[in-house]
Amino acid sequence: MTSEVPRFYASLIKSDIDWDFTTRRERGLFNGLIKRKNRWPRGKVMGGTSTMGTMQYVRGDRRDYDNWAAEGNIGWSWYDVLPYFKKSEDMRNILVINQFTSYIHHGEGGPLTLSRFTYEPSFTQLILDAAKELNYLKNIDYNGIHMTGFSSPNYGTIRGGERLNTARAFLSPVKSRKNLFVIKHAFVSRVLICPSTKRAYGVEYFYKNEKVPRTVKASREVILSAGTVGSTKILLLSGVGPKAEVEDKGIVSIQNLAVGRNLIDHVQFPGLPVTVDIDVDDKRTPLDILDQTYEYLTRRTGPLAAIGLWAIRGYISIDDDEHPDILLHFLRGKAGRINRTNDILQFYKNIGIEEDLFLQIKEMNYDKNMILPIPTILTPGSRGSIKLKSRNPHDMPLINSSYLSEPCDLEYMLLGIRFVKRFLETNAMAKVNATLRFIQYPGCCNIPDDTEEYWVCALSHIAGTAHNQIGTNKMGPCSDPRAVVDPMLRVIGIKGLRVADSSIIPSPISGSTLAIAIMIGEKAADMIKEQWIPGFVPSHTVPPYPLYTQPWLQTTSKPFKPA
């Protein structure tokens, strides 16, 4: 299957396994994207988005989780969640395993294999050398003691050179269990909730192309795990959400909660193309591609066994506390006038950039090899929303991202752009004649290049999602007016209904939704067992807190200081 080949992940966007969500047209955003909408690919398949994503496994900084606990989410501090990350892991990256503190941070023998991507692009060392000049050292494991630094090669959910999605990791080993029954081609429309008792007792779903919905009953609980967009939409269709909004769509309001009101997403800016006098990719002649295909089919190695894009990750800290604020990705594009698509051009096509902008970038890439640094904000202050278009469950929801609506987000993105400019001024980059190229945006006429006004205008054209949407069913104590679920993941005011996916994440986190959603699932399983199995006690433990405070465990990377 195409999705099992790591290198082919980009081709899955807008395929038949993609929900193909898009944002609405928003003022001051997406002016350089087709139809002025931002594409949000999400997996419509067993395993969800883990079947079509980049397989990157990033937990985030430990202080992110301590912030959850400080907000009143008892049981969700770093030392509470670490065992659940470790429980599912089967770490096979030798570089990580050989670290002295590996046993503290990672697990072995779990269902989720974490392996190193075996192929590195040829420009990797160039990036690491430039980062070192700015006092950002190589970080072998960004899921370890600290995140700041630059890492390559990375590891992800890959086993034997093939993608390992969550269905293959968790469902396949237990598919013969008598208490597991999976209905494929089923589209859940709403949760069945008794209005008088406010108890969930089942779900309504459409099977294949049937026009009349079917129902399935639950004797104890209903658990939603449809993702940030899906779970939010199902709750709203079920009458759980803002009362006025739900009733406006002709749905009986059962519980007035702030469903869909805390949308958080990492926003990235792919508007910094850089030409270099160095080869950034291996040869891609038809014979080379044939050889690479043969290598993958016979040995599961080579370029097809890696993700190509996102091969290097750089976590940048703006403040002295070393909490990462900005993530840098690096794409590459080999020069050539042959009518083909390299990584950079493929990326721009996938995000749906307007043709005139695409042709400018393609022209830049004709005679020069190219690197594309992409700064991403990890701690956004902006909050968007997800609402219903109508009571028809087949209608796509209305997504308002509200990217960069908070002044602090705009400032952080501008700091990220400044860091890239400093990065290009290093000796390592000067040796390869790294030159920042400026895209001419139709809406930015008469604005001089490389000014703050230019970058603000550029952001309004092509800044968009980094594909880590969270928060629409916020977890919090019942005293929190924006909370949808309590720290036990139970929907507030509704009996027998929980949400267990990335939509419950209450505040920005510097990790990826893949790793965090798996942890949430593991922890939710124990919560359910604690409620229904008398005397159940989780069997795993965590190391004592003082171990993390020892000086010899601290990073030597220094935070980025804005010029």
Side-chain angles (χ1 to χ4, degrees):
M1 185 177 177
T2 302
S3 64
E4 294 179 357
V5 182
R7 192 68 175 83
F8 291 166
Y9 89 93
S11 65
L12 301 174
I13 296 176
K14 296 191 74 67
S15 69
D16 58 351
I17 66 169
D18 180 7
W19 280 106
D20 196 21
F21 293 126
T22 61
T23 63
R24 302 179 71 184
R25 296 180 63 169
E26 299 181 51
R27 185 175 182 179
L29 290 172
F30 319 135
N31 293 323
L33 302 182
I34 295 173
K35 296 182 180 180
R36 290 189 57 196
K37 295 182 178 181
N38 196 200
R39 295 174 180 173
W40 282 19
R42 298 282 93 182
K44 185 170 60 173
V45 64
M46 293 286 287
T49 308
S50 72
T51 306
M52 61 179 296
T54 59
M55 296 161 281
Q56 300 274 338
Y57 184 87
V58 189
R59 299 167 174 172
D61 189 86
R62 62 183 182 273
R63 281 159 288 193
D64 295 331
Y65 302 94
D66 290 340
N67 289 338
W68 295 8
E71 293 172 8
N73 295 297
I74 306 302
W76 289 89
S77 71
W78 172 245
Y79 299 98
D80 294 312
V81 302
L82 177 58
Y84 292 102
F85 280 116
K86 295 174 64 176
K87 179 181 178 182
S88 60
E89 287 184 4
D90 181 20
M91 174 55 73
R92 297 187 185 180
N93 187 336
I94 300 300
L95 294 176
V96 173
I97 292 173
N98 287 342
Q99 292 188 104
F100 179 70
T101 58
S102 173
Y103 73 98
I104 301 172
H105 305 289
H106 295 287
E108 296 183 38
L112 189 72
T113 301
L114 298 179
S115 299
R116 171 184 167 182
F117 293 107
T118 56
Y119 176 80
E120 289 186 86
S122 56
F123 75 102
T124 298
Q125 193 57 50
L126 169 67
I127 302 300
L128 296 177
D129 290 343
K132 188 175 181 179
E133 290 187 46
L134 297 177
N135 294 313
Y136 280 92
L137 304 183
K138 185 173 182 178
N139 187 355
I140 295 175
D141 183 15
Y142 40 71
N143 289 318
I145 288 291
H146 60 272
M147 291 187 72
T148 52
F150 281 65
S151 63
S152 181
N154 295 318
Y155 59 85
T157 53
I158 185 170
R159 179 190 293 167
E162 295 181 358
R163 175 193 294 273
L164 182 68
N165 66 9
T166 52
R168 185 180 170 196
F170 293 92
L171 284 181
S172 293
V174 298
K175 61 184 179 183
S176 59
R177 284 186 182 177
K178 293 182 179 180
N179 63 345
L180 174 65
F181 184 74
V182 177
I183 304 175
K184 295 182 180 180
H185 310 292
F187 176 79
V188 174
S189 55
R190 65 187 179 104
V191 178
L192 301 173
I193 304 172
C194 178
S196 58
T197 63
K198 293 190 176 182
R199 169 171 287 279
Y201 61 91
V203 297
E204 179 183 271
Y205 69 97
F206 291 88
Y207 181 64
K208 293 187 176 179
N209 295 321
E210 293 179 353
K211 302 298 182 182
V212 179
R214 301 185 182 190
T215 60
V216 61
K217 301 294 180 65
S219 59
R220 293 184 177 178
E221 290 191 28
V222 175
I223 303 164
L224 280 183
S225 294
T228 295
V229 180
S231 289
T232 303
K233 179 182 172 184
I234 292 171
L235 284 177
L236 292 171
L237 288 167
S238 307
V240 179
K243 189 174 187 294
E245 176 188 331
V246 168
E247 291 181 343
D248 182 61
K249 298 297 184 290
I251 301 169
V252 176
S253 176
I254 297 176
Q255 184 69 11
N256 184 20
L257 295 172
V259 174
R261 286 294 191 271
N262 186 51
L263 177 62
I264 306 168
D265 192 13
H266 294 162
V267 58
Q268 64 183 12
F269 175 57
L272 295 157
V274 177
T275 55
V276 291
D277 294 338
I278 187 177
D279 201 359
V280 296
D281 203 353
D282 293 331
K283 294 180 179 180
R284 298 287 298 277
T285 66
L287 184 59
D288 293 321
I289 294 173
L290 186 62
D291 288 342
Q292 294 169 9
T293 304
Y294 178 78
E295 179 182 359
Y296 183 79
L297 292 175
T298 56
R299 299 190 294 276
R300 292 296 191 268
T301 58
L304 294 183
I307 51 175
L309 310 182
W310 325 123
I312 306 175
R313 305 174 74 89
Y315 288 96
I316 313 301
S317 176
I318 300 298
D319 303 316
D320 291 331
D321 63 0
E322 293 191 354
H323 182 287
D325 303 298
I326 295 171
L327 165 65
L328 274 185
H329 281 129
F330 294 86
L331 280 64
R332 67 201 192 274
K334 191 174 179 66
R337 294 182 176 272
I338 302 174
N339 186 20
R340 60 173 174 78
T341 302
N342 59 37
D343 286 350
I344 288 179
L345 299 182
Q346 180 67 57
F347 169 81
Y348 280 120
K349 284 185 176 180
N350 284 342
I351 68 172
I353 195 170
E354 286 280 7
E355 185 177 6
D356 60 334
L357 302 181
F358 179 82
L359 291 176
Q360 285 187 52
I361 298 160
K362 190 174 182 180
E363 182 65 30
M364 296 174 190
N365 200 190
Y366 271 157
D367 301 317
K368 288 280 189 178
N369 291 317
M370 186 177 286
I371 294 174
L372 181 65
I374 303 179
T376 302
I377 302 175
L378 296 177
T379 54
S382 303
R383 298 292 183 270
S385 66
I386 296 179
K387 301 179 181 181
L388 292 178
K389 181 179 181 180
S390 72
R391 63 183 297 177
N392 183 349
H394 297 286
D395 283 345
M396 289 293 183
L398 303 177
I399 301 172
N400 291 281
S401 69
S402 298
Y403 295 142
L404 306 176
S405 58
E406 287 292 325
C408 62
D409 291 352
L410 182 59
E411 181 60 29
Y412 267 80
M413 186 60 84
L414 292 174
L415 287 172
I417 293 171
R418 290 175 202 163
F419 180 85
V420 171
K421 291 167 64 178
R422 279 186 57 188
F423 192 87
L424 299 178
E425 293 170 356
T426 59
N427 292 329
M429 300 303 289
K431 288 178 182 178
V432 298
N433 192 28
T435 304
L436 178 61
R437 306 291 296 272
F438 297 97
I439 303 171
Q440 301 304 311
Y441 302 94
C444 306
C445 298
N446 302 320
I447 299 178
D449 294 343
D450 203 16
T451 60
E452 184 169 301
E453 292 76 13
Y454 169 83
W455 293 119
V456 170
C457 187
L459 287 167
S460 72
H461 280 72
I462 59 174
T465 181
H467 311 293
N468 287 311
Q469 299 92 9
I470 60 173
T472 47
N473 299 310
K474 180 184 179 184
M475 174 176 61
C478 295
S479 58
D480 183 351
R482 298 179 65 84
V484 175
V485 301
D486 66 15
M488 294 292 287
L489 306 187
R490 298 170 299 199
V491 176
I492 296 171
I494 303 293
K495 303 181 184 72
L497 179 60
R498 295 186 207 237
V499 181
D501 56 34
S502 55
S503 69
I504 65 98
I505 298 174
S507 54
I509 196 160
S510 46
S512 69
T513 50
L514 172 61
I516 301 166
I518 292 171
M519 177 275 291
I520 291 170
E522 292 280 14
K523 189 167 174 58
D526 269 5
M527 289 177 172
I528 295 166
K529 291 175 184 177
E530 285 183 86
Q531 177 162 342
W532 299 106
I533 302 177
F536 174 81
V537 177
S539 59
H540 34 272
T541 58
V542 294
Y545 181 86
L547 183 60
Y548 284 84
T549 63
Q550 299 299 320
W552 50 270
L553 290 177
Q554 303 307 310
T555 176
T556 55
S557 292
K558 297 181 181 179
F560 162 59
K561 297 295 185 182

